[in-house]
Amino acid sequence: MIIEVDIEGEDRVRRYRVRRDRGTIRMWRLSVADSDDNASVVHIDWRMPEPGNYSLIVDGHSYDVHVDEAEEDPELLELHLLGDVVRARASDARRHRNAPTDAAPDGTVSVTAPIPGRVIKVLAAPGTAVKRGDGIIVLEAMKMENELKAPRDGTVVDVTVQEGAGVERGAVLAIIE
């Protein structure tokens, strides 16, 4: 998953590739070029002893962090760390890239590939009724599985790919009506 973090007072959005494995998180801060070669890797071991409170070990250093989420916008965060308060917006980059602004005039929306990859599973066949957020396609890219979800309620009218197929960024994978 790629997460974009916009910290109040900074002039640019930071991008991180995040991979979670049980209680450990591997996080790469991506450069402007978004290349793994230019990324620095951070290892994070974390526990959540109670909701909103996190105990982190980041590259061997221990931190206690309290996170407040805004009720009206769960992407808006207030992080309490080492006596400071940092306000940030953290979001899954794919969510904004895949979110349709409006349905097409005929009422259809397309589920598209956010990045190049390989289709490893088709979760919803044509004729399947789906709700917003239901999984449609699982796409593997950069050794990570990405479940692409229905952007709205509807019926899958077409799946344009088969399992095992390679796809380019922006390719239409399924159509929902």
Side-chain angles (χ1 to χ4, degrees), residues 89-165:
R89 175 173 297 282
S91 61
D92 182 345
R94 293 172 302 177
R95 178 174 164 225
H96 296 290
R97 206 175 316 151
N98 288 339
T101 52
D102 288 308
D106 63 359
T108 63
V109 292
S110 298
V111 176
T112 60
I115 50 180
R118 184 175 59 87
V119 175
I120 60 170
K121 187 136 181 90
V122 175
L123 301 173
T128 305
V130 294
K131 296 220 179 274
R132 180 184 175 147
D134 286 352
I136 304 295
I137 303 274
V138 178
L139 183 67
E140 181 184 58
M142 297 177 280
K143 299 180 185 174
M144 293 177 60
E145 292 183 8
N146 302 283
E147 185 175 272
L148 305 181
K149 300 176 185 277
R152 68 173 177 87
D153 294 356
T155 302
V156 176
V157 293
D158 193 14
V159 175
T160 62
V161 293
Q162 295 179 342
E163 292 179 7

